[in-house]
Amino acid sequence: MAITATISVPLTSPTRRSLASLNNLFPHSPRSTLPIPRRTFKYPNSRLVASSMSTDAPVKTPSASFLNRLQTGFLHFAKFHGLGNDFILIDNRDSSEPRITAEKAVQLCDRNFGVGADGVIFVLPGINGTDYTMRIFNSDGSEPEMCGNGVRCFAKFVSQLESLEGSHSFTVHTGAGLIIPEVLEDGNVRVDMGEPVLKASDVPTKLPANKDSAVVKSELVVDGVIWHVTCVSMGNPHCVTFSREGCQNLLVDELKLAEIGPKFEHHEVFPARTNTEFVQVLSKSHLKMRVWERGAGATLACGTGACATVVAAVLEGHAGRICTVDLPGGPLQIDWREEDNHVYMTGSADLVYYGSLPL
């Protein structure tokens, strides 16, 4: 069965795009009011056809026939990434139910037979007085409470859908509660991630609390090795480790993440599974981290993981409350503020391309 995919690669700044161009990409959006012009993409006469039996070179097709296909049975999306943690973004503002199933999301996230992504994110109508609702399916089909890099991409996508310019913020309902992203003048996104949850039973973890109600630098045996872990929830569970038996400061580049990551994720002391952050302390304000994400595996970045890492670093005495966290995909700025106990994350979110796929 042939699959037709059309991709538009942005050659100009996304913030300079007109609302008209977005209407072309999301013609069924309830907030789109402009007519659909005859040309939709930068390269309107190109169509890429791929088959499970053979691979054809790009062929020419009249733009009119392509536009006819756009209007029936196609899923329109935008591909974004936050420091290499990449997502398929879908305008779902006309319904409170995602336009595709978790099973379909798994297919789309496949990097060989689909679009390729760490997850699929939906922009749904707000509830409980919020402006929007965010839901996400991981690449394995599971649904996490929230995603830090994902919410930055969500914010930039909404800005384009609504043709917003300059600095602006809005409220987002997530499975982790209220999240408030703010798109800054420089194009980065600062997100109020709320208060970290430290109570062991709420993370959740079965490890016994050893500091008030929290698990801080507790011993955890994984595959016969004793690791020292601190457990934090940023609306989703995190297990953060800076050391193991015989190694007081991890060299994270030397870790075999694909081997050890799943053993943490599925450990019996984490009833909801867990994200795991392996952290190297560079200074009191500079940390280096690699992550194994629950439901997605090794990724280039994890926003909630960076937040949990700084909280854990403060609790263990490794760092101060304002840190740069280096991830494989780039840096995030994390600020755990004493005045309100909220964690603020600042980083980039970039458009990769727009596309359409048959449903």
Side-chain angles (χ1 to χ4, degrees), residues 217-356:
K217 205 172 183 179
S218 181
E219 290 188 353
L220 176 66
V221 179
V222 179
D223 201 26
V225 177
I226 298 175
W227 296 76
H228 306 110
V229 303
T230 294
C231 297
V232 179
S233 172
M234 293 302 309
N236 54 354
H238 292 269
C239 172
V240 185
T241 180
F242 299 85
S243 62
R244 65 176 179 238
E245 189 176 38
C247 180
Q248 291 307 304
N249 190 17
L250 295 178
L251 299 177
V252 295
D253 290 335
E254 297 180 1
L255 294 173
K256 296 179 180 179
L257 206 58
E259 293 182 12
I260 191 66
K263 295 174 183 178
F264 275 86
E265 178 184 356
H266 298 280
H267 199 288
E268 62 183 3
V269 300
F270 302 114
R273 297 190 292 163
T274 190
N275 302 281
T276 309
E277 286 74 37
F278 301 88
V279 190
Q280 182 175 344
V281 179
L282 302 178
S283 76
K284 284 285 188 179
S285 61
H286 196 181
L287 307 171
K288 184 176 182 179
M289 184 262 277
R290 291 179 68 193
V291 60
W292 181 268
E293 289 198 52
R294 178 186 61 167
T299 63
L300 295 178
C302 177
T304 56
C307 294
T309 290
V310 172
V311 171
V314 172
L315 294 175
E316 290 195 23
H318 297 300
R321 287 176 171 264
I322 301 176
C323 288
T324 297
V325 181
D326 288 342
L327 303 107
L332 285 173
Q333 305 300 319
I334 308 297
D335 181 2
W336 183 19
R337 298 182 185 174
E338 278 193 275
E339 57 265 31
D340 60 5
N341 198 39
H342 284 216
V343 181
Y344 294 81
M345 169 190 64
T346 304
S348 62
D350 299 301
L351 173 68
V352 182
Y353 59 80
Y354 299 112
S356 297

Side-chain angles (χ1 to χ4, degrees), residues 17-26 34-37 39-40 163:
R17 288 183 173 271
S18 67
L19 180 60
S21 67
L22 288 171
N23 284 341
N24 300 339
L25 294 165
F26 307 102
L34 299 180
I36 301 173
R39 291 181 180 267
T40 305
S163 196

Side-chain angles (χ1 to χ4, degrees), residues 43-67:
Y43 307 102
N45 295 323
S46 296
R47 188 180 71 173
L48 178 65
V49 178
S51 170
S52 59
M53 297 299 292
S54 63
T55 302
D56 302 325
V59 297
K60 301 291 185 178
T61 184
S63 58
S65 65
F66 171 71
L67 287 175

Side-chain angles (χ1 to χ4, degrees), residues 19 23 28-34 93 125-126 131-132 161-162:
L19 180 60
N23 284 341
H28 302 298
S29 168
R31 303 189 187 193
S32 298
T33 57
L34 299 180
R93 292 172 296 167
D131 297 314
Y132 305 97
L161 290 176
E162 303 286 13

Side-chain angles (χ1 to χ4, degrees), residues 72-332:
T72 56
F74 268 64
L75 176 71
H76 313 292
F77 65 89
K79 177 79 177 286
F80 277 80
H81 78 88
L83 303 181
N85 196 190
D86 56 342
F87 303 95
I88 298 164
L89 277 293
I90 296 174
D91 180 8
N92 210 122
R93 292 172 296 167
D94 59 349
S95 172
S96 59
E97 289 298 321
R99 289 196 62 201
I100 63 171
T101 64
E103 291 74 20
K104 182 66 174 179
V106 172
Q107 296 174 18
L108 293 183
C109 289
D110 190 289
R111 297 189 183 277
N112 297 108
F113 298 100
V115 175
D118 292 320
V120 179
I121 295 175
F122 305 87
V123 180
L124 298 105
I127 59 176
N128 299 329
T130 58
D131 297 314
Y132 305 97
T133 295
M134 170 182 165
R135 288 183 63 182
I136 176 172
F137 291 143
N138 283 325
S139 57
D140 70 349
S142 61
E143 182 171 2
E145 298 86 351
M146 212 275 292
C147 173
N149 287 317
V151 78
R152 296 201 316 278
C153 295
F154 181 101
K156 292 293 285 286
F157 183 51
V158 167
S159 296
Q160 294 184 23
L161 290 176
E162 303 286 13
S163 196
L164 301 176
E165 297 181 356
S167 179
H168 51 273
S169 63
F170 35 80
T171 56
V172 182
H173 175 80
T174 74
L178 175 66
I179 299 294
I180 306 174
E182 178 185 5
V183 179
L184 305 175
E185 290 285 353
D186 62 6
N188 285 330
V189 182
R190 180 171 58 222
V191 185
D192 178 353
M193 301 289 286
E195 297 186 60
V197 175
L198 301 177
K199 186 177 179 181
S201 59
D202 292 339
V203 171
T205 178
K206 295 179 181 179
L207 284 170
N210 61 352
K211 186 174 182 181
D212 297 325
S213 60
V215 174
V216 179
K217 205 172 183 179
S218 181
E219 290 188 353
L220 176 66
V221 179
V222 179
D223 201 26
V225 177
I226 298 175
W227 296 76
H228 306 110
V229 303
T230 294
C231 297
V232 179
S233 172
M234 293 302 309
N236 54 354
H238 292 269
C239 172
V240 185
T241 180
F242 299 85
S243 62
R244 65 176 179 238
E245 189 176 38
C247 180
Q248 291 307 304
N249 190 17
L250 295 178
L251 299 177
V252 295
D253 290 335
E254 297 180 1
L255 294 173
K256 296 179 180 179
L257 206 58
E259 293 182 12
I260 191 66
K263 295 174 183 178
F264 275 86
E265 178 184 356
H266 298 280
H267 199 288
E268 62 183 3
V269 300
F270 302 114
R273 297 190 292 163
T274 190
N275 302 281
T276 309
E277 286 74 37
F278 301 88
V279 190
Q280 182 175 344
V281 179
L282 302 178
S283 76
K284 284 285 188 179
S285 61
H286 196 181
L287 307 171
K288 184 176 182 179
M289 184 262 277
R290 291 179 68 193
V291 60
W292 181 268
E293 289 198 52
R294 178 186 61 167
T299 63
L300 295 178
C302 177
T304 56
C307 294
T309 290
V310 172
V311 171
V314 172
L315 294 175
E316 290 195 23
H318 297 300
R321 287 176 171 264
I322 301 176
C323 288
T324 297
V325 181
D326 288 342
L327 303 107
L332 285 173

